[in-house]
Amino acid sequence: MRHVVFLLPALLLLLALPDTRGRYNDDFDDGEDIAEFDDNDFAEFEDVSEDPAVDVEKEPPPRAAPSSTPIEDDEDEATVENEDGQDEFEDADAQDQDMYSKYDNEEFEGYEKTNPSFKDTLIYREVPAHLQNSWESYYMEILMVTGLLAYIMNYIIGKNKNSRLAQAWFNSHRELLESNFALVGDDGTSKEATSTGKLNQENEHIYNLWCSGRVCCEGMLIQLKFLKRQDLLNVLARMMRPACDQVQVKVTLNDEDMDTFVFAVGSRKAMARLQKEMQDLCEFCGDKPKSGAKYGIPESLAILSEMGEVTDGVMDNKMVHYLTSHADKIESIHFSDQFSGPKVMQEEGQPLKLPETKKTLLFTFNVPGMGNTSPKDMDILLPLMNMVIYSIDKVKKLRLNREGKQKADRNRARVEENFLKQTHTQRQEAAQTRREEKKRAEKERIMNEEDPDRQRRLEEAAQRREQKKLEKKQMKMKQIKVKAM
Amino acid sequence: MTANNMADPRRPSKIFRYKPPNTETNPTLEDPTPDYMNLLGMVFSMCGLMLKLKWCAWIAVYCSFISFANSRSSEDTKQMMSSFMLSISAVVMSYLQNPQPMSPPW
């Protein structure tokens, strides 16, 4: 057994030795064994070295050649081989270097250097960023995600702030509303008309409240139009262009609750804008907004009115007092019996019939603070709601005298006439098309009739109808001619 | 009794129910932002998916967030969620196809 143990390493050594000796044989032997390797390794250099004197010098190139060819052919193997060789034959390397210094450049004729400047320009390829183990290269993505997180944070904060403001407003106004209206808060979906007692959230920045059940009015819709605090883009835009929260009150009245007049008062900017935008203000209040100084209200407010009597009627002492003390919060106040909303831009020409009108009182108030409102500021709006209630009662009592009423009726008739004239051609065309369509439908019916007899009969009936129409027209023309004469 | 009635302006008999304003007749009342942002988000996410542009996909995510923030309560949440999912899938697909980080335009 011991013999076997000793034999094994000896066997291994014997097997390994020929390999190593075969490669570096030429280092120790001066050239005796070169002839042995002529066929395989050094066959390509046969013509280069036939002189035995050159044999010594030939040793380094063949020595270099086999080491270089493996490199050229297969880098991986060459490196492994070199490493192996280097570990075991460090002495051999030292000897090689001595020999290389005795190189003759002519020895390398015919041997083309494939990488002459290999050592000079060593190109360091960059590792692609996604393979690097660093998060720094993803800084754009991190920025994006941070932006998204900021947006979400702002959404939550903005939503909460708007919600708190709305609740604060409702809490401060609840008592006043509940003492004036039988129904406070209705979303229109429940079967019975019971007060929900809370705001109806339309958006993250718009809250509605419908109140009804009072004398002098049909109902009142209050819209809390807050700034879009939940949208970061809007927040940034507001830094450039400040805006403020608004409270819009729209009171709809029954026919008997209001006389026929159109009136508006508010900030100059708002009046100019409304006069252009609103259908009724455009038609009935043609004059430019007048200053309210005559009635004692601040210069910042302007008045649009159908006639002077209306202004006198509306601007009583209490109203003037309200307007003066809260001028900064009032954006616009609009009383109208012909309210139909903003002017609708029709694409196919003008509408064929007058827009529906409703007797309405519109109030738009600005919440003070220019966006930086706190829930406490909502109490400041309470006097304005008092003004709204007062206005409702006042409008019920306000009646024009005979002259005013006549003037108002004339105005309305004028507007209607203008409208009819403008749409006359359109209405004619519409009537014509309708008639043509009727004829076409009849013809189709006749064509679709399978029974030939019935077809004939229907055709005859249609012909007779047409003849009658022609005769009628001729009669009319004759009558008109006679009358003209 | 009569004094009470006169002082109290409330009339339960005169209650009218709330009718939401008809936005078809008055399109100016509606805020078009959520619809535009929704459409924009879908367009960008399709661009990001087809053209393999990472920045398109990121912008799509932002658009769908903005659309959600501006949306009305009555709007369908399914639409919101679908645009959301589409934009997130655009981002994920762009990175799966090309894990390289986004390069800034400068």
Side-chain angles (χ1 to χ4, degrees):
Chain A
M1 283 300 288
R2 259 187 249 158
H3 296 293
V4 177
V5 172
F6 281 124
L7 264 170
L8 263 171
L11 257 170
L12 283 168
L13 241 160
L14 268 169
L15 283 167
L17 267 174
D19 282 342
T20 52
R21 221 196 304 153
R23 202 168 297 117
Y24 294 94
N25 223 354
D26 41 1
D27 291 335
F28 300 99
D29 302 332
D30 278 332
E32 277 173 349
D33 294 331
I34 279 177
E36 284 177 37
F37 297 98
D38 246 348
D39 291 339
N40 34 19
D41 284 359
F42 313 125
E44 45 189 304
F45 298 97
E46 262 179 61
D47 49 342
V48 175
S49 58
E50 277 177 0
D51 199 356
V54 196
D55 274 347
V56 180
E57 292 165 351
K58 188 196 162 202
E59 283 165 347
R63 163 75 181 89
S67 62
S68 65
T69 39
I71 288 171
E72 285 168 29
D73 293 338
D74 196 346
E75 283 188 27
D76 290 345
E77 277 182 37
T79 48
V80 170
E81 282 172 59
N82 278 338
E83 275 170 20
D84 285 345
Q86 277 162 19
D87 287 343
E88 294 173 43
F89 295 94
E90 286 174 11
D91 296 335
D93 280 345
Q95 282 190 20
D96 286 346
Q97 281 173 9
D98 292 335
M99 288 168 132
Y100 286 163
S101 58
K102 301 169 196 163
Y103 269 179
D104 188 2
N105 283 334
E106 289 174 32
E107 288 296 324
F108 290 95
E109 281 174 37
Y111 168 56
E112 286 173 11
K113 290 190 179 176
T114 51
N115 290 323
S117 57
F118 197 60
K119 285 182 188 169
D120 297 334
T121 55
L122 204 58
I123 302 165
Y124 289 96
R125 295 280 172 211
E126 257 192 52
V127 178
H130 65 284
L131 296 173
Q132 294 173 14
N133 274 335
S134 74
W135 288 108
E136 290 165 358
S137 50
Y138 285 94
Y139 67 93
M140 281 295 286
E141 281 75 12
I142 292 172
L143 260 170
M144 288 291 194
V145 172
T146 317
L148 275 176
L149 285 172
Y151 193 92
I152 294 170
M153 290 294 292
N154 178 71
Y155 173 80
I156 294 170
I157 294 171
K159 187 170 91 121
N160 282 338
K161 172 126 196 217
N162 278 346
S163 173
R164 273 185 293 130
L165 285 173
Q167 209 49 49
W169 180 91
F170 188 53
N171 288 338
S172 64
H173 288 71
R174 184 197 289 262
E175 220 180 288
L176 175 68
L177 292 171
E178 280 177 352
S179 63
N180 271 292
F181 291 92
L183 175 75
V184 174
D186 181 25
D187 56 3
T189 54
S190 56
K191 273 189 187 169
E192 286 173 20
T194 44
S195 297
T196 56
K198 54 180 182 175
L199 297 163
N200 187 18
Q201 187 174 6
E202 193 181 298
N203 248 334
E204 300 298 345
H205 62 282
I206 296 182
Y207 291 81
N208 291 341
L209 184 71
W210 172 254
C211 306
S212 185
R214 190 187 192 275
V215 286
C216 315
C217 74
E218 229 178 60
M220 177 166 80
L221 177 67
I222 304 174
Q223 272 196 323
L224 302 174
K225 289 193 170 167
F226 293 127
L227 301 166
K228 287 188 184 179
R229 292 187 175 84
Q230 79 277 10
D231 182 12
L232 187 61
L233 279 183
N234 207 284
V235 169
L236 296 170
R238 265 190 294 116
M239 288 184 186
M240 313 291 162
R241 208 164 34 131
C244 50
D245 303 308
Q246 281 191 339
V247 177
Q248 273 189 5
V249 182
K250 184 172 172 183
V251 185
T252 40
L253 306 162
N254 295 315
D255 281 336
E256 68 269 15
D257 295 329
M258 184 175 171
D259 208 351
T260 53
F261 64 89
V262 177
F263 173 82
V265 64
S267 69
R268 288 187 176 275
K269 246 186 179 179
M271 286 296 105
R273 184 173 43 89
L274 283 179
Q275 194 173 32
K276 272 185 257 171
E277 273 179 15
M278 290 294 174
Q279 180 90 10
D280 53 346
L281 286 175
C282 181
E283 287 168 354
F284 293 96
C285 307
D287 301 331
K288 271 172 43 176
K290 284 185 220 139
S291 160
K294 197 166 70 161
Y295 299 92
I297 57 175
E299 269 293 320
S300 58
L301 298 176
I303 297 175
L304 275 173
S305 176
E306 197 180 346
M307 53 190 116
E309 191 197 331
V310 170
T311 321
D312 292 330
V314 172
M315 289 294 175
D316 62 351
N317 287 335
K318 202 158 180 195
M319 201 65 170
V320 168
H321 171 74
Y322 272 126
L323 289 171
T324 320
S325 47
H326 304 287
D328 58 330
K329 300 185 208 82
I330 294 171
E331 170 86 1
S332 69
I333 297 174
H334 181 185
F335 301 163
S336 171
D337 73 312
Q338 298 282 317
F339 181 75
S340 58
K343 273 198 259 193
V344 186
M345 305 302 283
Q346 289 282 342
E347 287 153 2
E348 302 153 8
Q350 292 188 320
L352 293 175
K353 54 174 186 168
L354 273 172
E356 268 183 47
T357 59
K358 186 90 182 135
K359 299 202 174 182
T360 317
L361 309 179
L362 276 161
F363 300 83
T364 309
F365 301 129
N366 293 329
V367 177
M370 214 53 176
N372 295 325
T373 31
S374 71
K376 295 185 296 251
D377 297 338
M378 289 301 163
D379 292 333
I380 302 173
L381 299 170
L382 199 54
L384 294 168
M385 195 51 65
N386 281 323
M387 180 174 81
V388 170
I389 305 289
Y390 173 75
S391 306
I392 297 173
D393 292 326
K394 182 177 182 56
V395 158
K396 170 86 178 181
K397 285 180 266 173
L398 182 65
R399 296 286 166 214
L400 301 168
N401 60 17
R402 206 159 56 100
E403 237 181 70
K405 191 87 178 89
Q406 278 177 358
K407 213 171 163 188
D409 289 338
R410 258 183 283 142
N411 279 339
R412 275 143 194 75
R414 172 182 47 88
V415 166
E416 203 175 327
E417 215 182 295
N418 282 341
F419 181 80
L420 287 173
K421 268 193 212 165
Q422 281 168 346
T423 57
H424 181 69
T425 41
Q426 267 96 15
R427 273 184 294 122
Q428 266 195 335
E429 276 174 34
Q432 181 73 17
T433 44
R434 255 182 283 135
R435 258 180 271 141
E436 278 177 21
E437 272 199 50
K438 263 193 197 168
K439 274 193 194 165
R440 229 182 297 140
E442 257 196 71
K443 277 190 186 159
E444 265 192 63
R445 238 187 308 137
I446 293 169
M447 298 291 277
N448 288 339
E449 279 294 335
E450 289 185 1
D451 196 2
D453 281 334
R454 277 175 92 178
Q455 228 183 27
R456 237 187 304 130
R457 254 181 278 148
L458 280 165
E459 270 189 43
E460 282 173 17
Q463 270 186 355
R464 257 180 275 142
R465 255 181 270 140
E466 273 200 54
Q467 263 197 321
K468 272 190 187 169
K469 273 190 193 166
L470 270 168
E471 280 174 23
K472 265 192 186 171
K473 261 193 182 176
Q474 282 175 353
M475 287 293 289
K476 269 190 183 172
M477 292 300 283
K478 277 189 188 168
Q479 280 179 359
I480 290 169
K481 276 188 188 169
V482 165
K483 276 189 182 170
M485 277 164 52
Chain B
M1 273 292 272
T2 47
N4 204 8
N5 270 343
M6 280 179 67
D8 188 6
R10 289 178 290 179
R11 297 288 178 270
S13 54
K14 288 181 82 179
I15 286 180
F16 288 83
R17 294 303 304 276
Y18 172 60
K19 260 182 295 184
N22 191 0
T23 46
E24 280 176 15
T25 51
N26 225 341
T28 49
L29 285 174
E30 260 187 23
D31 180 24
T33 308
D35 301 321
Y36 278 149
M37 281 295 149
N38 214 4
L39 181 68
L40 214 60
M42 287 208 224
V43 166
F44 272 118
S45 53
M46 292 315 287
C47 277
L49 272 171
M50 303 294 180
L51 307 175
K52 298 181 190 171
L53 296 169
K54 293 198 180 74
W55 57 267
C56 269
W58 280 109
I59 292 175
V61 176
Y62 271 95
C63 282
S64 68
F65 264 97
I66 294 170
S67 171
F68 172 73
N70 284 300
S71 67
R72 296 168 273 273
S73 334
S74 55
E75 255 183 50
D76 206 5
T77 47
K78 275 183 272 183
Q79 174 97 354
M80 287 293 133
M81 291 311 291
S82 79
S83 84
F84 218 54
M85 291 295 133
L86 184 64
S87 55
I88 292 191
S89 75
V91 169
V92 168
M93 287 308 293
S94 316
Y95 279 95
L96 278 177
Q97 288 164 355
N98 184 11
Q100 289 230 1
M102 212 161 52
S103 57
W106 53 86

